């Protein structure tokens, strides 16, 4: 059934810029940084953190003492008696986190929940697993970020291979991928017009970046860091990463760092927390799916269909579509499967361009989707994205006048 009485107060959300691998945010503990940003953003909106009776932290990459999960950043922002938990579905973490927060509100476990999503791909942990039965007591180790991108535990393949597999399934050409990538770069430029007017609807710019101990200012960033200048000629010059493949370093995303957050509440609370109480943002439906082994970018297709079914709408009724697109393959496959125009998706930006810090990636996309719908005067929005394990999640949101 459709979600009932679950809203996102308009404007009660934010995102940092996303910065490149080993860039300006590489030294910041992602949980502490998420709390640091949230505390400032809540103060700007005059929202008392004590209003939260639940919290969700979406995070995929371990940080020092992350064992405690959501209660730590909640405590840091002043929500000292607010319970919470951690959600991790790798690249679909934001959609899963929104589902968790919305479900608690819908069933009466919470009235106002803060969903924070935070990750730092840079300087990911190197984990050692003791094995007393190993030769000489030797154990096993992994680089949590890089190793898992390259080694699927079920099939042994890389994530890149899943993109190539889906490209073959849908007969997607290199030319199609490069054309979509160029279009995505052009769409992102729209968000930078008029001194980044669109991004400033939800992002504090310039952003003061603290030192690792959060006592001083380390630097100031004026926007996303790591966006690659993109031209048709430049894309055409790149060689496929895999022999005989169609995916290049140009038509895939890059690892990044950052955080984002959204307040989720019962409809009774939405107006008092909203920056504009005349705008209503409803959470209507979710979908999840899993595709064949090593076909990760195809999973969002079925997830999207299920989210649309739960929201009781058709794809023809959708006014804005945002995707997590680690590969341009994702968008082309989704467009072919749902018979939609691939060039009209992802207006104002997407992870293909501004990067992929995993946990907060989808949340930023959903925030941008809400703002796009608000600029349009309302409508339905569909977000969908894939995740490791050949899974996908999707959500449907509606923006209307109240």
């Amino acid at each position: 059934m459709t979600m009932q009485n679950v809203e996102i107060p308009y404007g009660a959300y934010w995102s940092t810029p996303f910065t490149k691998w080993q860039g300006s945010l590489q030294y910041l503990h992602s949980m502490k940084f998420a709390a640091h940003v949230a505390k400032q953003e809540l103060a700007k909106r005059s929202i008392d953190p004590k209003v939260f009776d639940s919290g969700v932290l979406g995070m995929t990459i371990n940080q020092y003492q992350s064992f405690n999960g959501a209660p730590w950043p909640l405590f840091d922002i002043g929500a000292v008696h607010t319970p919470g938990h951690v959600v991790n579905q790798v690249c679909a973490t934001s959609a899963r986190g929104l589902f968790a927060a919305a479900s608690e509100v819908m069933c009466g476990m919470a009235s106002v929940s803060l969903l924070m999503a935070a990750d730092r791909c840079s300087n990911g942990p190197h984990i050692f697993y003791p094995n007393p039965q190993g030769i000489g007591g030797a154990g096993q180790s992994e680089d949590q970020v890089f190793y898992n991108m390259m080694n699927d535990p079920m099939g042994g393949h890389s994530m890149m291979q899943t993109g190539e597999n889906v490209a073959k399934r849908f007969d997607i050409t290199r030319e199609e991928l490069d054309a979509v990538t160029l279009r995505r770069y052009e769409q992102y430029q729209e968000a930078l017009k008029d001194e980044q007017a669109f991004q400033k609807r939800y992002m504090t710019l310039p952003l003061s970046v603290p030192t690792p101990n959060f006592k001083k200012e380390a630097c100031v960033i004026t926007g996303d860091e790591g966006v690659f200048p993109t031209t048709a000629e430049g894309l055409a010059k790149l060689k496929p990463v895999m022999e005989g493949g169609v995916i290049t370093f140009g038509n895939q995303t890059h690892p990044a760092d950052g955080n984002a957050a959204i307040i989720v509440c019962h409809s009774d609370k939405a107006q008092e927390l909203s920056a504009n109480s005349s705008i209503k943002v409803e959470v209507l439906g979710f979908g999840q799916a899993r595709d064949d082994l090593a076909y990760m970018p195809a999973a969002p297709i079925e997830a999207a269909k299920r989210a649309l079914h739960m929201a009781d709408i058709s794809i023809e009724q959708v006014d804005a579509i945002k995707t997590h697109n680690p590969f341009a393959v994702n968008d082309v496959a989704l467009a072919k499967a749902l018979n939609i125009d691939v060039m009209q998706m992802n207006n104002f930006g997407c992870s293909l361009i501004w990067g992929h810090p995993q946990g907060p990636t989808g949340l930023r996309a959903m925030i941008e989707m809400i703002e796009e719908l608000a600029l349009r005067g309302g409508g339905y929005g569909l977000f969908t994205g894939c995740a490791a394990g050949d899974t996908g999640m999707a959500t449907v949101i509606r923006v209307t006048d109240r």
Side-chain angles (χ1 to χ4, degrees):
M1 64 178 182
T2 304
M3 303 287 290
Q4 300 288 335
N5 298 315
V6 180
E7 295 188 28
I8 297 168
Y10 178 72
Y13 40 72
W14 56 86
S15 173
T16 67
F18 287 176
T19 64
K20 63 184 179 181
W21 172 279
Q22 305 303 111
S24 294
L25 304 181
Q26 65 167 306
Y27 299 109
L28 293 175
H29 188 292
S30 58
M31 293 168 67
K32 291 182 180 181
F33 186 42
H36 173 82
V37 172
K39 193 171 184 178
Q40 294 179 338
E41 295 291 344
L42 290 170
K44 284 173 59 177
R45 292 163 176 78
S46 299
I47 296 175
D48 187 340
K50 293 183 178 64
V51 74
F52 303 120
D53 48 13
S54 183
V56 180
L57 173 64
M59 194 174 77
T60 73
I61 302 168
N62 293 345
Q63 299 285 273
Y64 181 69
Q65 285 203 301
S66 58
F67 181 87
N68 276 8
W72 183 7
L74 287 167
F75 187 93
D76 280 358
I77 69 171
V80 298
H81 293 114
T82 302
H85 66 283
V86 173
V87 170
N88 175 3
Q89 196 181 338
V90 202
C91 316
T93 292
S94 286
R96 177 63 64 182
L98 183 61
F99 174 74
S103 297
E104 288 187 1
V105 170
M106 186 173 173
C107 74
M109 281 182 63
S111 177
V112 184
S113 181
L114 176 63
L115 167 60
M116 293 178 284
D119 262 322
R120 189 189 73 196
C121 289
S122 299
N123 306 311
H126 302 268
I127 304 172
F128 179 78
Y129 302 94
N131 178 16
Q133 303 301 315
I135 298 174
Q140 189 175 22
S141 64
E142 68 171 353
D143 177 297
Q144 190 185 22
V145 178
F146 182 75
Y147 183 81
N148 287 291
M149 295 291 179
M150 302 301 294
N151 297 275
D152 182 271
M154 294 160 283
H157 52 271
S158 67
M159 290 191 179
M160 179 82 65
Q161 185 64 62
T162 72
E164 292 291 355
N165 291 347
V166 172
K168 289 180 181 178
R169 177 188 283 183
F170 286 90
D171 296 320
I172 298 170
T173 66
R174 163 72 182 276
E175 289 72 25
E176 287 178 283
L177 298 183
D178 285 355
V180 168
T181 301
L182 183 60
R183 170 62 178 157
R184 297 291 175 260
Y185 181 73
E186 292 169 346
Q187 289 167 305
Y188 177 76
Q189 302 310 304
E190 293 296 313
L192 304 182
K193 286 185 175 179
D194 302 319
E195 298 181 336
Q196 298 164 277
F198 180 81
Q199 291 182 344
K200 287 179 180 177
R201 295 173 72 92
Y202 66 90
M203 186 184 293
T204 295
L205 294 172
L207 180 71
S208 173
V209 178
T211 54
N213 63 5
F214 293 88
K215 294 184 182 294
K216 298 180 180 179
E217 181 178 270
C219 66
V220 174
I221 55 178
T222 58
D224 297 312
E225 179 183 276
V227 176
F228 296 95
T230 303
T231 64
E233 295 76 19
L235 289 168
K237 291 178 181 178
L238 297 173
K239 295 181 179 179
V241 178
M242 301 182 73
E243 186 70 28
V246 293
I247 298 173
T248 69
F249 285 118
N251 58 40
Q252 64 173 300
T253 191
H254 58 277
D257 306 331
N259 62 70
I262 280 182
I263 294 175
V264 184
C265 69
H266 190 277
S267 294
D268 292 344
K269 297 285 187 179
Q271 286 183 273
E272 64 185 84
L273 297 170
S274 176
N276 184 342
S277 59
S278 68
I279 299 176
K280 186 176 185 179
V281 184
E282 299 171 278
V283 181
L284 297 183
F286 293 91
Q288 62 179 347
R290 186 174 184 179
D291 211 286
D292 297 334
L293 181 65
Y295 283 82
M296 180 182 73
I301 296 168
E302 184 59 31
K305 292 177 181 178
R306 294 176 183 179
L308 292 168
H309 178 74
M310 184 177 181
D312 195 26
I313 64 170
S314 67
I315 189 64
E316 288 77 21
Q317 292 174 268
V318 174
D319 300 286
I321 298 175
K322 295 285 265 192
T323 66
H324 163 48
N325 41 12
F327 309 108
V329 167
N330 289 60
D331 286 359
V332 179
L334 183 72
K336 289 188 175 185
L338 300 184
N339 192 29
I340 54 181
D341 185 352
V342 71
M343 297 303 187
Q344 297 305 311
M345 300 156 50
N346 286 310
N347 292 317
F348 299 105
C350 59
S351 56
L352 182 67
I353 302 302
W354 32 248
H356 181 26
Q358 295 189 177
T361 304
L363 208 55
R364 174 171 171 177
M366 286 185 270
I367 290 169
E368 290 192 348
M369 184 172 74
I370 292 169
E371 289 296 346
E372 179 183 351
L373 289 169
L375 286 172
R376 293 173 59 97
Y380 289 99
L382 169 68
F383 166 78
T384 188
C386 65
D390 305 298
T391 67
M393 279 205 73
T395 186
V396 174
I397 290 172
R398 178 170 59 188
V399 176
T400 59
D401 292 332
R402 191 177 294 280

